[in-house]
Amino acid sequence: MATKNKTSFRFRFSEFLLIGLILLSSFLLAFSSGKFVLNFKQIGFSVLSTFEKGVHTVVDGVGNTVNAVSELRKLKKDYNELVIKLEHYEQMQRSNADITKENSRLKEQLDFSVSLDEKNIPAQIISRDLDNAFSYLTIDKGSVNGIKKNMPVIAYQNGNQGLVGKVIQVGTFTSQIMPIYNTNNIVSARIQNTRDLGLVNGLGSQDQPLLMQYIRKRVLEELSYGDIVVTSGENDNYMRDIPIGSISKITVLDYNSSLNIELTPIIDFSRLETVIVVNQKELNDRKQTKE
């Protein structure tokens, strides 16, 4: 029977001792030369610097986030304040535009009032009676301002003067006007171009046309749409040649010898705010003073 030889590697104590001495000598030699110290310093510095850099990045990021949130809040606050200021500015712009427009309108009224030969009292409309059959205007001037019953009332609107009506009732501080569109207000008038005489009366509403009657049919060919009708100045009810309205429709009636003529008032009563009450018996002191 063949015997197998087993090969075994065994370290003896003397070999272990030799290896240990070699390693110890190498360690002491390296330590004494400072290489291990330097390596430890480099490793520690790398670790610490990396840690510090990470902490700094995190802290810096958190700080930047907090600052960004704070800046965002400040920007939002500034934005809201600017929006409010812009709204106030726009309101001021509108107010200034309204004031400028109002001043321009009042100056226009004042210049016209001064230019009249007759003494006059500018007044503001403060209420309207819009009854279907009878309509009246109330103004903020009365007997203390020199207004009397039956005084004519005119207005200056969009660069044109026109007839409004006449005073029918006077209080101490207010007066009532019967406008030309009132059915009871009948005005002696002439067609400006042909000088034909007729009567104009209202139909009870500021939204309806005026009606002119007693114009002879034979002048039909001489009339045109847009012709101006003015006050005749007769009976001292109104001054002469104050525009009343313009011809908008002409109707020929077989059974009538005169024409029925509809007029569009010169004054837009729906936008009328200021009127001028005229005293025909006295001269305008303001015009004389200006001259």
Side-chain angles (χ1 to χ4, degrees), residues 134-156:
F134 306 100
S135 300
Y136 300 94
L137 307 174
T138 302
I139 58 175
D140 62 349
K141 298 293 173 63
S143 59
V144 295
N145 307 107
I147 294 180
K148 298 179 181 179
K149 188 176 180 180
N150 292 324
M151 281 185 173
V153 182
I154 61 176
Y156 192 76

Side-chain angles (χ1 to χ4, degrees), residues 49-196:
S49 62
T50 303
F51 178 75
E52 288 178 354
K53 183 178 181 181
V55 172
H56 174 74
T57 302
V58 172
V59 172
D60 189 56
V62 172
N64 289 337
T65 302
V66 172
N67 291 335
V69 172
S70 177
E71 286 292 327
L72 183 61
R73 289 177 179 173
K74 185 176 182 301
L75 287 173
K76 186 176 181 180
K77 181 181 178 182
D78 292 342
Y79 172 78
N80 291 334
E81 290 177 353
L82 287 174
V83 169
I84 294 173
K85 289 180 179 179
L86 180 60
E87 291 176 351
H88 290 167
Y89 176 76
E90 290 176 347
Q91 291 175 357
M92 288 176 61
Q93 287 282 75
R94 288 193 293 269
S95 298
N96 289 337
D98 292 340
I99 291 172
T100 301
K101 190 174 181 179
E102 178 68 11
N103 288 340
S104 177
R105 187 179 64 82
L106 292 176
K107 182 179 182 302
E108 185 181 57
Q109 294 281 340
L110 178 61
D111 290 343
F112 174 70
S113 173
V114 172
S115 70
L116 293 175
D117 293 329
E118 299 84 3
K119 185 176 181 179
N120 56 83
I121 305 103
Q124 194 85 11
I125 296 174
I126 57 176
S127 69
R128 301 168 188 257
D129 177 10
L130 301 178
D131 187 271
N132 290 332
F134 306 100
S135 300
Y136 300 94
L137 307 174
T138 302
I139 58 175
D140 62 349
K141 298 293 173 63
S143 59
V144 295
N145 307 107
I147 294 180
K148 298 179 181 179
K149 188 176 180 180
N150 292 324
M151 281 185 173
V153 182
I154 61 176
Y156 192 76
Q157 187 182 67
N158 299 325
N160 299 311
Q161 65 169 312
L163 183 65
V164 174
K166 65 178 179 180
V167 177
I168 60 168
Q169 188 173 341
V170 181
T172 305
F173 302 106
T174 60
S175 301
Q176 192 174 61
I177 297 170
M178 180 167 61
I180 55 175
Y181 56 80
N182 188 302
T183 55
N184 287 335
N185 196 346
I186 300 175
V187 182
S188 176
R190 291 185 183 275
I191 299 174
Q192 192 174 54
N193 291 339
T194 66
R195 308 308 297 176
D196 287 285

